[in-house]
Each structure stands twice: as structure tokens, then as C-alpha cells.
Amino acid sequence: MPIGIVSLNLIALFLLFSAILVFFSWRKGRSKFLRDFTGFLFGIAGASTCWAIGAWLISIDPKIAGYFHPLAGLSGGIGFLYFCHLALTFITPERKWRILGPLVFLFLITNPILWLKPPIPSFSPEGVVLWNIDFLPGFTLFITGILFTGLPVIAFVYLGAKSTERFIKLRSFLISLGIILYMGGGLAHNIVTIPKQYLFSDIFTFLGVALLLGAVYLKKILKRIK
């Protein structure tokens, strides 16, 4: 079985498990933090599931497989909008929709670009998934990814720097680092061509999500350590 199929399926399963775990935690407390975080995790879990399904379909019909890439962009974009909402709720709740509104509009006008010419993916000789994305969809995905990642990262770095509480500083740091690693590993999957690079991308992706989960359950973790 190609390494790309194994890798993408493991990531999808890990994210789905993480999303379900946080969802049940949200049902107990109904906090706004966990609500938005649940939406974020289900969004990126949906994206990873689309990529995993696309990888399975490459050997059957590469053209159909290619449509799962923009579908992943749609699901992941919705997830990141939830994450931006979460960050803005903490930093500037009274102005969050002034900032989030234009981001939603940007998402609505840029996502169709990904569907203009879906890629026709293939496997490298080593079994790595090559999505073969055209310049315009690839550039659009890169720019929107930077914006939707940069906003929450800057917000949580600011929150950590501003706060005098160690808990908030640590949680903000974990969230910022986690999202950078996740997004870095995720975007790298579109450009790597050899198994070693692919595995490093997977490690960054897994580590990023693990840090994000650590930030969610930080209080419980610190209590157990004490």
C-alpha cells in the first residue's frame, strides 16, 4: 500500500478522534472556547478525510480523486473560520465580526477558484501522493492559508504576551505553536516528493494537533502533574 494512503488515513483518523473527544468535552461544559475548537477540529478532520479518500481513488479514477482536494479546502476553510472566531472572541470580542466578516467574504470568493481546475493527482514511484495543483488554485490556497493561520497565531501570541497569568501564557504558546506546526506540515504535503519528507510533514501535522489538544486539556494535565 502506498505510503501516501497510509499516512493520510492515519492523520484523518487521528483528527476525527480528536474532534469527537473535544465535542464530548464541550457537551459537558458548553463553553464557547470548546464550541469553536470543536468546529475547527471537525473542519480540518473533514479536510484530512477528503484527502484520504482522494488518495484511495487515485488508482481508480485520478480525475474524480482530484475533486476531493478543493472539497478539502472547503472543509478546512470552514474549520479555520471557527478558529479565527475563537481567537477574536478572546482578543477583541466587540470587534470580532468587523474582522471575521471580511474573512468570510474572502473565503466565499476565493474557494470557487479551487474548483476551476481540480488537480489530477498521482503517486510518485515511492508512493507519495502528488496532487499536481495548478498555479492559481495553489497560490489561492497558500494566501488564504497564511491569512487564516496568521490571524489566530498573532492573536494568541498577543494574548500570551499581554497576560500576567502563567496558565494563559502557556496555553497561548501551545495554541500558537500547534497551529504553526499543523499548517506547516499540512501545506508541505502539497510539495514534498519523497517518503522521508512526507514522513516529516506527517510528524509536524501530528505534533501540531497534539499541542492543540494539550492546550485544550491543559488544566487537567497540570492538575494531574500536581
Side-chain angles (χ1 to χ4, degrees):
M1 185 178 293
I3 186 175
I5 291 180
V6 176
S7 167
L8 290 171
N9 276 268
L10 285 175
I11 291 173
L13 288 172
F14 180 60
L15 285 171
L16 282 171
F17 173 78
S18 302
I20 292 170
L21 184 68
V22 176
F23 170 74
F24 282 114
S25 295
W26 168 72
R27 285 191 65 183
K28 292 180 181 178
R30 299 283 176 174
S31 75
K32 292 181 180 179
F33 177 87
L34 289 180
R35 179 198 64 194
D36 286 350
F37 206 85
T38 299
F40 164 66
L41 285 178
F42 271 114
I44 62 174
S48 292
T49 301
C50 288
W51 283 316
I53 294 172
W56 277 106
L57 291 173
I58 289 174
S59 57
I60 300 172
D61 191 330
K63 288 187 178 180
I64 293 178
Y67 281 98
F68 281 86
H69 193 278
L71 188 59
L74 176 64
S75 180
I78 293 171
F80 269 95
L81 285 174
Y82 269 101
F83 199 71
C84 290
H85 183 270
L86 184 156
L88 291 169
T89 299
F90 276 96
I91 302 302
T92 176
E94 69 282 354
R95 297 178 182 174
K96 63 183 176 184
W97 282 109
R98 293 181 186 178
I99 302 172
L100 194 64
L103 288 179
V104 173
F105 178 73
L106 177 66
F107 174 69
L108 291 175
I109 63 172
T110 56
N111 187 260
I113 296 174
L114 305 182
W115 296 87
L116 292 176
K117 191 176 181 182
I120 300 178
S122 59
F123 288 113
S124 74
E126 299 85 2
V128 170
V129 177
L130 304 176
W131 287 104
N132 303 318
I133 308 168
D134 275 12
F135 172 77
L136 183 58
F139 181 74
T140 302
L141 191 63
F142 177 77
I143 293 299
T144 53
I146 292 289
L147 287 172
F148 286 7
T149 304
L151 174 63
V153 166
I154 292 171
F156 280 105
V157 167
Y158 171 78
L159 182 65
K162 183 180 177 182
S163 177
T164 56
E165 296 182 30
R166 290 184 179 179
F167 171 77
I168 293 178
K169 283 183 177 294
L170 181 56
R171 172 177 266 186
S172 299
F173 171 76
L174 290 175
I175 290 175
S176 301
L177 182 59
I179 199 63
I180 290 171
L181 290 175
Y182 169 78
M183 200 61 182
L187 288 175
H189 279 87
N190 293 309
I191 58 174
V192 296
T193 57
I194 61 176
K196 187 177 291 186
Q197 294 173 339
Y198 210 79
L199 290 173
F200 273 116
S201 301
D202 288 345
I203 291 170
F204 281 126
T205 303
F206 276 115
L207 184 57
V209 178
L211 287 174
L212 289 169
L213 282 176
V216 170
Y217 295 106
L218 187 59
K219 280 187 178 180
K220 292 183 179 179
I221 294 171
L222 291 176
K223 284 181 180 179
R224 288 184 179 181
I225 293 174
K226 291 179 179 179

